Structures are given as C-alpha cells and as structure tokens.
Amino acid sequence: MNARASRSTARHVGELQRLQQQDEFRRALRALLLHPLMSSQHTEFFAVRRQAERLREWFAREAGWPLHVDREGARLFKRPTDLLDATRGLPDYDRRRYVLLCLACAVLERADPQITLQLLGERIMAEVADPALAALGYTFTLRSASERRELVTVCRTLLDHGVLERVAGDEQSFVHDSGWQQSDALYDVQRRLLAGLLAAVRGPSTWPTGEAPGNTEARLHALVTAHTADSEQGRRDALRHALARRLLDDPVLYTDTLTPDAQAYFFNQRGTMAARLCEATGLVAEQRAEGLALADASGQLTDVAMPAEGTDAHATLLVAEYLAQALRQTRAPLHVAEEEIAAFLRKAVDRYGRYWRKSARVPGAERELAQIVLERLQRLALIAREIDGVRPLPAIARFSLGEAEMRTTGISSQAALL
Amino acid sequence: MTTITATSTDLFRHVTADKAALYRAIMDVFAAAKRQYRLQLRPDEVLAGATWSGTPPAQEEVALALEQLAAWGNLESQPDMARVATLSDYYRARFLYRLSRGGEAVEIGLAAFEQTLRHRAELQTVALEDIDSRLRALHRLLGEDIVDVAKAHEVLRDLVRVLEDLAANAQTFMAGVARSLELQQADATTVAAYKRRLIEYLERFMGDLIRRSDTIARTLHELSTSIDTVLQLVAEREARDAAPGDADERVNEARRRHDAWRERWRGLRGWFLTNGGEPPQAELLRARARAAIPQLLGAISAVNERRSGRSDRSADFRMLAQWFAGCDSDDDAHRLARAAFALNPARHFSLDIQTDEDVPANVSWLDAPPLAINPRLREYGEAAPRGPLPRVRERNRERELMAQQLAEESSQVEAARRRLATGHPLRLSEIGELNAREFALFLGLLGEALAEQQNPDQTVERYTGDGLLHIRLEPMSWDSRAQLHTPAGVFSGRDHVLTICTTQEGA
C-alpha cells in the first residue's frame, strides 16, 4: 500500500472515530435528558462516564445545568424555567406522598448503609411526630393499607432511581392487611444517589427563621433561583439558559409565554439556538410563527408519547384532530367545552370502538376517556385547561388530518374486513 | 499451656480485681526489679519505686495489697530478718517479697499481650534487606573450602529470627488491612494522613519486595544443593550444646534438630520460591498489599460522602416535607416537586413533520403541513396489524437465479482476465476490440496502475488490490496513440506497453 493510500485510510479511521465519539456523546446526552438521576446500572452510564467532561461543559454552557458524574452515578440538575407547569411531578404522587418521600429521604440520610421497610416506616412515623408537621395536619401511621401503600410507592420511586437497592424480600405483601407485620424488605442505601436527589439551588433548611420563604410561590423560586452575574453578558446568558432549558425539557415553547426581553432575544437567536441544540441532541426543530418545538423523530425522548398505540392514545389522536380542525376553521382563540369533547368521543365509539378496550366502549365511559385524553393533551402543551373546557393551543394543528394515503393491498384490506 | 488450674487462674485475678490499678502498679515494680536483677523488695521500697497515678496509697494499703498478691500466688514472701528501729515496726509482720514463678509468667504474658494490642500493622522493609544480606553471607560461607559451622549457625539463627519477625508482622498487616476498622471510625483528616502514609509505605515495601525477592529467590535457589550438609552440621553443633546424655540420645537429638532446621529452611524457601502449586508467601503478601489500596480508597470515599452536601440534607428534607404539607393543592405540590427534585424526563413531540421544502419560520402551525401519521395508527390505534403474521415466502427460485447470475458473471470475469493477463508485453494499440466485461477489467487495472504514476513518463509496476494480478505499464513516446474499441465507444490516449501476469500459477 502506498503512502497516499495509508494517509487516506488514516483520515478515514479518524473520521470514523470522530463520528463514533459524536454518536456516543449524543446517546449520553439524550440518556441524561431522560434520566437526570442515573445510577451506574443504566445502559448508557458507560457512555455518560466517558463523555462526562464534554457533557458537563455542554450542559453548563447551553442550559446552565450542573452535571455531576462519578463512579456510582450521574446527576443532571435540570432546574426548570417554567414553574407553572404542574404536569411534571412524579407520576401517581399527591401532596401526602411527596411529604412521605421527603421524610423517607430524611430518615435514609441519617440511616446506616442498610435499612428495612419496617424500620423505614417506623422512623418515618417518628419524623411525623415533629410538631411543625403535626401543625399542618399531617398524620402517618402504618395501620391502614392505604398508608402502607403510600410507603411502598415511595420505596418504589427510590428503587426506580437507584437510591435504594433491594437486597432481600419484597414490598408486595406489605400492603395487605393480613400479615404485613411479617413481610419486610431489606435495602442497600446508595448514599451518592440519595445525596443527588435534592436538586435545589439552596437547601430549604439553610434559610434563617425570619427570611424563610413563607408561601409556595416564594418557595418555588427559592429552590431554583441561582445567582446571575449582574452584567450585560450575565443577563444574556441567563436568558439563553432559560430558553434552552424549556426547549430541551418541554415539548413546545410558545412565544407569547415569554417576557418582552426574552421574546426579543428569542426572535433574534432562535434559529442558531435551535440548530445548536438539535445538533447535539438529535432533535428536529419545528419553527413556527407561534413558537418553537424540538421534536424527536424516534419518539424516545419523552414520557408522554403521541401518537402512540392503545385506546387512550388513539382517542387522544382523534380529539387532537378534532380540535385542530376547529382551530383551523376559526383561526382565533377558541373555547371548547368538555361536554363537546365527550360527545365527540361518544360518536367516535361507533366508528372506532371495535378496536378499543371494552371499558372505554360502555355508555358513559366517554367522560372518563375525555379526562384522560385532555390530560394527555395538556401534558404535551397542546391545550390549556379552562373552566369547564379547554383552549386548543397552536401546536395541536400539527396533528390535523392530512390527506391520508391508504395504500391497501389485498392482505391489509382483508385484515380490515376481519 | 496444658491445664489451667485453680491456682493459675488466681494469678490473673489481680487484673480484674477492684483495686486493679494498685495491683498492677505493684506488679510493675516487681517486673522492673526483675529486669534490674534485684531479687526481693520490701513494702517501703515498693511504695517508693512504683509510679502511682494520683496520690500514693498508705503504707498499710500497700502491705495489704502485697499480702493479697502473695495469697493469689503472684508473689512469694518470706519474713524480713532485718533490724528494726521502732517497736511498732517490730510488732508488725514484716516480709520481703519477690515474684513467684507463676507471677513472672503472668507478667511476661501481660507484657506480650499489651505489645500485641499496641502493635501496628506494618511491613518491614529492613527485614528484607537483612534476609538478603544474611543469605549472601551464608552463600559466601558455603563457598569456602572448610565451612565455619559456628558462623553458619549464627547466620542461620539470625535469618530465622528476622523471618519470624517478618512473618509475624505480615500476619498482623494482613489482618489489620482486612479489618480496616481503624478507618471506619476515623475522621477525614486522620484518614487523609493515614492514606498518605499507607500508600507511601506500600509503595516502598512493594518496590523493595519486588526488587529483593528476586535476588533472594536466586540465592536460595543456589544454596539449595549444598544447604543440607550445613544444616546437618549446625544441628550437630546444637545437639552438643544441649543437655548431656549418652551417644544414642545425642544422635536422636541431632536428628531432631536437623529436622527442625530443615523445616525452617523450607519455610524460608516457601516465602520466596514457589512450592509445588502454592505461590510463595511474598507473592501473597504483595497481592494483599495491592488489595489494601482499593480498600483504603473505599474508606476515603465513605468519609467524603459523609461530608458531601453543604447543608444538612436530612434537615433539608424535613423542611421540604413541611413545604409540601403546606401546599394548597396537588398541582402546587407537583410544581414544587419539579423544582425540588428535577427528576422529570424530557418531554417532546414525536415524529417530525415531513416536508420536502423547509417551512419558513413565520408560518403558523395552522398553515404548516401536519404530521404524517401511520394510517393504521390513525384508523385503529395500532401501528402493526392484528392477526396472523404474513406467510414466509419461499425464495428458492430467486436464490437459484442469483447463484446462476453470479456464476455467469465470474466466468465472464475469468475469461476477461485470461484475455488480458497473458504475461506478455502488449501494446495498447494492439489490443483492438474489448467486450464490456473485458473493458471493465481493463479500466480497473489501468486505474490502479495510473494511481501509482507520479508523472506521465514513469513506468509503473504494481500488484492489484486483490493481489491476484501484476501490472506493468510503460509509456511510449509522446505522440503515440492507441485506440480501443468497446461496445460503449472508443477509448483512446497515449500508447503504453502493458504487461499483465497472474500471480497464481495455473489461475
């Protein structure tokens, strides 16, 4: 082989390596966006560790999100910009469970490297006796099945995030009334991940008694507000980070939700910004007059998929089309009553019902289905909930019914007839 | 110790008795006296000689304690016959005390016990050096014509002592590292200091071990042939020292000593040389020393972990629990949860809108093209059809056809190769007409050859990429022309002499 050929081969190999690096970086970045608290067991953890330095730099530069990576796990502190979005909490949680989760963490923080479910429960009960909590009317005993279920839910959350690792036993029978005192589970506490659970900029206990934020709004800001440099550059960075955080984490950024100076910055920078973010994440920018969405062609980078399979998802898709059509016709802010959506679904049963699950077909089920559908649409920022109704938001138009090309071959038309 | 009698347990009672401190102080005086070869002590000498913690006890108290110790068997007493100056002294029972045999044994035992407790896990680098130098000395001694048994004996005794020390130390080190108890409860600065010391130490020791154990092993190996006679001589010498007896007993004694020495020698060898399937002790020690480092790092990370987090996390969580409990609605709690935990995955629309042309940024979503949704998904809420899978198609016919085409193609290529790769020089202008297959091969070869050519007047020789053909291309004069007729048209250019040979015989 002559020198020229070997040079070109070398260049080729170098190029290949660069591409592999780029691919690994993208995989690691996407994995972190999906799992901001990642245990070392995660399939992409190896990639995250290898690309740690680049990732840390990227997240710090683009979104101002700190990233910690060590032997035991990785933590991306995804501080949110949109503090109004109530759809991004932990699934199946309510106020009581959040309190319980916090108390469980407080107990674990002080506990030995191992703990059992029973012991955790008992220690939490001791924490609940705190007068400050009692004054807020919070009670917790292990006596009722529902309370034990709450504890188990909290444990499962911690297990899911790798904070606890089950060593022996299981939580299943702990909930049942008979014999719950005999069933127990033993966990290892992963202290590093536990330490990463709280993402607050400032620890809630560090406020002096007089200055502690007194209501939920103040507390929300206390948790996420970081110091920004008081300079032109500092303010610009803060604006850019705020926008990038929403673009990376939220389905769509409507321009009219921005403050005037953020809007001005956004109009100037949205093109380059979207290109930069898309290049690194593999998302696709959808730039429209009303705002900007970074969509994921693979549909992996999301906790709520649309379109998706199944009755709920199908109904969601149909309602989205229905609302999109209405919005296209009026081309003005629109209020659609929930009744109307339920009625639409009632009719849809006749046409599509035979593919749906049985419980969704019975008369009256359309109300429940409508609630599920509207919640899904709300999560994706396709509608805004109003009193007794909804307001479709512009991006819902992407789900309008296009001219569907039904290429029916012999086989599939047969399947349709079946 | 074979049996523990009632009296021998009595000997230890003073350690656990109420006035243990007093008893120990007294016994220390006697142990010190023993070291100084003083045979017996009077009570007032005990009182004066002891180091008391706090105020010294009254003379009566000491006398009582001495009596008690004598009763337990730690001390022996005898009446004091010395002259006295006062009446009271005379009426008081006066005794002289000395350590009993049992008491002495207990003192030695307690001293050893204390030393072991205080013993730090350590590895001796000096020991290795000593072993090395002793072995060399032994080697030198054996090299002489007449072996000086006395010297050899001395060297061997030294060697055994050093090795015993080394082994004992290594044992404590291994046990100590395995426990790493010291680190578990230590605070951060101690750990950091200990870490530095231990790592430095291990580095030095392991370096020494690697460096020295090799030479030691070599010397041992060299000694192995001649050592037995020396051991024999040393054993005989020792037997002479032992208590006298008849000739038979002497021989037996000598054999016993010889066996003992051989055993020790085996032990020494076992430390540095492989013994059958077992790795040498030194290797084990090295492995353990190496394993000590990750253990140490683990202990350090545990300490760091305890320190991590600026605020008291437990208090943070408790305060946060109150904040959650103080929320007015579940929605507020969800918002607070996102801010506090930031565990939510990213959320994005799936599927991009497929358009041929980019949509300008100022187009409304209402006017932009909608999603291309799988019609099946849109119609049935399912992406894949229900029902049985489509039948697998038989593709034998296609395969046959493909095989046939491949065979045909390769035979054509073979024919083309035969036509061109004659092994004789051939002018391009003489080739004449080529069919499509032949022309393709010709172009390929020409391309490979020309890629090698630095300038148009250069003669090129090279093997094809697959290594099957050798090409030689020699340009002719500038004005020469060659024309090749092919089905695709006429190929013309400067004439060359082309020689193509196959590299494989009979191909």
Side-chain angles (χ1 to χ4, degrees):
Chain A
M1 195 180 283
N2 63 18
R4 211 157 19 147
S6 73
R7 252 203 317 280
S8 81
T9 315
R11 206 165 43 236
H12 182 66
V13 170
E15 180 73 6
L16 213 64
Q17 269 177 338
R18 202 189 60 76
L19 283 176
Q20 271 169 359
Q21 286 281 320
Q22 185 61 36
D23 179 56
E24 190 176 62
F25 174 71
R26 179 174 292 179
R27 273 191 293 124
L29 205 159
R30 289 169 65 97
L32 281 172
L33 283 176
L34 265 189
H35 303 276
L37 181 65
M38 187 187 281
S39 83
S40 57
Q41 309 301 313
H42 194 276
T43 45
E44 297 294 357
F45 181 66
F46 186 63
V48 170
R49 265 211 100 177
R50 290 226 305 198
Q51 300 286 335
E53 201 43 54
R54 239 178 114 187
L55 289 166
R56 192 177 304 133
E57 200 216 329
W58 191 88
F59 279 119
R61 189 183 62 232
E62 296 297 339
W65 280 337
L67 171 68
H68 291 291
V69 181
D70 60 31
R71 201 153 41 92
E72 280 120 289
R75 176 58 154 134
L76 176 66
F77 291 101
K78 283 213 276 186
R79 289 178 181 130
T81 296
D82 181 8
L83 296 175
L84 297 172
D85 189 352
T87 67
R88 307 299 289 274
L90 293 164
D92 303 327
Y93 266 63
D94 56 12
R95 261 174 299 174
R96 279 186 60 80
R97 290 184 180 183
Y98 283 125
V99 174
L100 210 53
L101 176 68
C102 290
L103 294 179
C105 290
V107 167
L108 292 176
E109 194 66 50
R110 289 281 164 87
D112 294 329
Q114 290 199 318
I115 198 164
T116 68
L117 184 58
Q118 296 267 5
L119 197 61
L120 182 61
E122 280 165 26
R123 299 251 176 99
I124 289 174
M125 289 196 322
E127 291 286 345
V128 170
D130 183 1
L133 262 184
L136 290 163
Y138 193 82
T139 56
F140 179 76
T141 60
L142 285 173
R143 280 195 284 278
S144 76
S146 71
E147 281 177 313
R148 290 195 296 275
R149 187 172 297 114
E150 285 178 328
L151 178 61
V152 167
T153 308
V154 165
C155 274
R156 295 241 165 95
T157 306
L158 293 171
L159 283 165
D160 285 347
H161 286 99
V163 174
L164 292 180
E165 271 174 24
R166 197 187 290 109
V167 180
D170 70 302
E171 305 84 29
Q172 202 63 54
S173 43
F174 187 73
V175 175
H176 302 304
D177 268 326
S178 57
W180 65 271
Q181 274 154 322
Q182 277 80 51
S183 62
D184 205 349
L186 177 65
Y187 306 113
D188 281 339
V189 183
Q190 297 296 319
R191 295 196 167 276
R192 267 299 158 85
L193 295 176
L194 176 63
L197 204 57
L198 194 61
V201 173
R202 178 170 178 178
S205 71
T206 59
W207 294 93
T209 10
E211 297 167 32
N215 58 48
T216 302
E217 295 307 319
R219 287 166 180 171
L220 270 167
H221 284 99
L223 287 171
V224 299
T225 309
H227 170 79
T228 51
D230 190 22
S231 65
E232 188 60 26
Q233 183 63 37
R235 274 189 294 276
R236 257 207 313 275
D237 280 349
L239 273 180
R240 188 164 52 84
H241 287 165
L243 293 173
R245 287 172 182 192
R246 291 190 62 179
L247 287 172
L248 285 174
D249 220 19
D250 298 346
V252 57
L253 172 57
Y254 292 114
T255 325
D256 58 10
T257 61
L258 296 173
T259 57
D261 52 340
Q263 240 178 52
Y265 184 86
F266 182 66
F267 277 127
N268 266 328
Q269 298 292 324
R270 60 184 170 176
T272 48
M273 213 167 146
R276 240 187 4 250
L277 297 180
C278 289
E279 214 264 316
T281 55
L283 295 166
V284 184
E286 220 174 280
Q287 205 161 266
R288 298 289 180 265
E290 301 91 341
L292 175 58
L294 299 189
D296 185 44
S298 72
Q300 291 162 340
L301 214 56
T302 184
D303 56 345
V304 190
M306 175 167 174
E309 294 194 28
T311 303
D312 295 346
H314 191 201
T316 309
L317 194 60
L318 295 173
V319 170
E321 278 179 9
Y322 173 73
L323 292 175
Q325 240 169 346
L327 193 62
R328 267 177 206 274
Q329 273 163 14
T330 55
R331 304 190 76 86
L334 188 67
H335 179 92
V336 182
E338 284 183 21
E339 261 323 299
E340 192 182 332
I341 289 159
F344 167 78
L345 281 171
R346 179 70 255 161
K347 265 189 279 170
V349 172
D350 300 336
R351 182 166 170 201
Y352 303 102
R354 63 202 154 126
Y355 308 113
W356 288 2
R357 63 162 190 265
K358 203 175 266 164
S359 63
R361 288 185 304 215
V362 294
E366 67 270 9
R367 280 172 195 285
E368 195 196 330
L369 194 58
Q371 284 309 316
I372 295 172
V373 163
L374 293 182
E375 193 170 319
R376 275 181 171 237
L377 291 175
Q378 188 196 7
R379 278 171 188 272
L380 286 162
L382 296 174
I383 58 165
R385 302 292 284 265
E386 291 176 341
I387 301 155
D388 292 332
V390 300
R391 178 163 52 88
L393 295 173
I396 205 166
R398 70 199 297 278
F399 295 95
S400 322
L401 177 57
E403 291 305 309
E405 295 171 49
M406 292 285 273
R407 271 170 299 185
T408 45
T409 62
I411 293 168
S412 66
S413 65
Q414 256 176 0
L417 288 172
L418 281 172
Chain B
M1 200 181 291
T2 47
T3 51
I4 298 171
T5 58
T7 44
S8 64
T9 53
D10 273 353
L11 285 171
F12 286 96
R13 280 172 69 166
H14 75 279
V15 184
T16 52
D18 278 346
K19 286 184 264 180
L22 176 67
Y23 292 134
R24 284 308 306 151
I26 292 172
M27 291 307 286
D28 280 344
V29 179
F30 280 97
K34 175 85 184 170
R35 284 197 294 274
Q36 292 155 24
Y37 308 107
R38 290 164 70 187
L39 297 178
Q40 42 200 6
L41 294 174
R42 288 193 177 82
D44 51 336
E45 285 172 323
V46 172
L47 188 59
T51 44
W52 307 108
S53 57
T55 52
Q59 186 147 20
E60 287 72 29
E61 209 179 334
V62 173
L64 274 176
L66 286 168
E67 218 169 296
Q68 182 62 63
L69 283 166
W72 280 330
N74 294 71
L75 298 176
E76 283 172 353
S77 64
Q78 63 184 90
D80 186 358
M81 297 305 176
R83 271 192 79 244
V84 289
T86 62
L87 267 173
S88 62
D89 277 356
Y90 183 82
Y91 283 111
R92 188 166 58 204
R94 288 170 298 139
F95 289 96
L96 286 173
Y97 293 93
R98 63 166 181 270
L99 273 177
S100 67
R101 275 183 75 81
E104 196 179 331
V106 167
E107 284 309 300
I108 292 168
L110 287 177
F113 180 68
E114 199 161 316
Q115 196 191 353
T116 315
L117 272 191
R118 281 205 201 127
H119 203 96
R120 298 190 62 84
E122 58 180 35
L123 295 166
Q124 294 169 306
T125 49
V126 188
L128 289 169
E129 202 179 316
D130 285 353
I131 289 174
D132 192 23
S133 71
R134 293 298 178 282
L135 279 174
R136 277 167 203 276
L138 195 60
H139 195 238
R140 267 199 305 281
L141 276 175
L142 289 177
E144 287 164 13
D145 297 336
I146 304 154
V147 178
D148 187 335
V149 182
K151 271 192 191 163
H153 194 184
E154 193 191 329
V155 169
L156 277 171
R157 261 192 309 220
D158 246 18
L159 205 53
V160 165
R161 196 174 42 73
V162 172
L163 187 69
E164 266 168 12
D165 266 13
L166 179 64
N169 272 319
Q171 213 166 12
T172 17
F173 172 77
M174 287 194 183
V177 166
R179 244 179 306 147
S180 72
L181 217 132
E182 212 176 343
L183 290 172
Q184 291 292 318
Q185 288 140 5
D187 67 304
T189 41
T190 333
V191 168
Y194 183 72
K195 169 191 79 175
R196 211 175 36 249
R197 263 190 296 132
L198 183 68
I199 286 181
E200 268 171 23
Y201 189 71
L202 287 176
E203 262 177 7
R204 204 165 33 139
F205 179 77
M206 278 169 60
D208 249 31
L209 194 60
I210 291 162
R211 200 149 37 84
R212 293 215 187 266
S213 59
D214 195 45
T215 49
I216 291 175
R218 206 163 335 114
T219 322
L220 278 172
H221 194 69
E222 283 164 15
L223 283 170
S224 59
T225 49
S226 49
I227 194 68
D228 202 48
T229 43
V230 181
L231 293 181
Q232 172 90 42
L233 290 172
V234 166
E236 274 166 22
R237 186 168 185 271
E238 262 185 351
R240 274 206 300 280
D241 278 354
D246 55 22
D248 262 7
E249 214 171 293
R250 278 261 294 276
V251 172
N252 278 343
E253 182 66 25
R255 193 184 310 126
R256 215 170 28 248
R257 303 247 170 189
H258 187 199
D259 285 347
W261 272 109
R262 270 207 290 226
E263 198 178 40
R264 285 179 202 143
W265 186 258
R266 261 208 311 281
L268 181 59
R269 276 178 60 93
W271 254 84
F272 297 98
L273 291 174
T274 320
N275 181 21
E278 276 178 45
Q281 290 292 316
E283 197 66 42
L284 287 181
L285 190 60
R286 231 163 85 190
R288 187 59 65 93
R290 232 181 285 130
I293 294 175
Q295 272 185 18
L296 180 72
L297 293 178
I300 291 167
S301 81
V303 170
N304 279 343
E305 208 175 86
R306 243 176 282 151
R307 284 197 301 180
S308 68
R310 280 158 302 164
S311 57
D312 177 356
R313 282 295 181 203
S314 195
D316 281 347
F317 280 123
R318 275 200 295 273
M319 181 55 77
L320 200 57
Q322 289 173 28
W323 288 8
F324 276 117
C327 281
D328 296 330
S329 65
D330 284 346
D331 274 0
D332 281 355
H334 285 309
R335 289 164 59 205
L336 197 61
R338 187 188 185 192
F341 299 122
L343 289 172
N344 57 295
R347 184 178 290 167
H348 292 289
F349 297 145
S350 49
L351 300 184
D352 52 321
I353 290 168
Q354 296 185 345
T355 46
D356 293 333
E357 73 281 9
D358 273 334
V359 183
N362 55 3
V363 170
S364 160
W365 254 299
L366 295 177
D367 302 317
L371 278 183
I373 297 170
N374 182 346
R376 176 167 286 284
L377 193 63
R378 156 93 187 60
E379 194 65 19
Y380 314 126
E382 277 186 341
R386 283 186 220 191
L389 289 169
R391 279 182 48 200
V392 177
R393 272 181 67 193
E394 292 262 357
R395 299 199 191 272
N396 284 347
R397 249 180 61 80
E398 286 87 337
R399 264 194 217 111
E400 238 168 67
L401 198 68
M402 205 128 75
Q404 203 180 329
Q405 278 173 350
L406 267 175
E408 202 170 304
E409 201 170 299
S410 80
S411 82
Q412 278 178 6
V413 169
E414 202 44 54
R417 190 172 285 171
R418 267 200 300 279
R419 163 96 199 272
L420 288 170
T422 54
H424 304 298
L426 189 71
R427 280 179 60 169
L428 292 187
S429 51
E430 290 167 359
I431 290 178
E433 209 156 310
L434 291 175
N435 68 29
R437 195 62 68 182
E438 289 162 347
F439 184 61
L441 178 66
F442 171 77
L443 269 188
L445 293 174
L446 202 64
E448 289 204 41
L450 288 176
E452 190 86 340
Q453 202 174 39
Q454 305 289 337
N455 68 63
D457 294 323
Q458 191 191 4
T459 303
V460 202
E461 275 190 64
R462 68 163 291 168
Y463 287 96
T464 53
D466 55 9
L468 290 176
L469 298 176
H470 179 263
I471 318 158
R472 185 172 189 282
L473 193 65
E474 187 185 346
M476 298 190 63
S477 60
W478 264 109
D479 48 353
S480 61
R481 296 296 291 172
Q483 282 200 331
L484 290 172
H485 296 272
T486 75
V490 180
F491 177 84
S492 70
R494 185 177 173 182
D495 202 1
H496 285 71
V497 177
L498 181 69
T499 318
I500 304 172
C501 340
T502 55
T503 50
Q504 282 168 318
E505 286 307 313

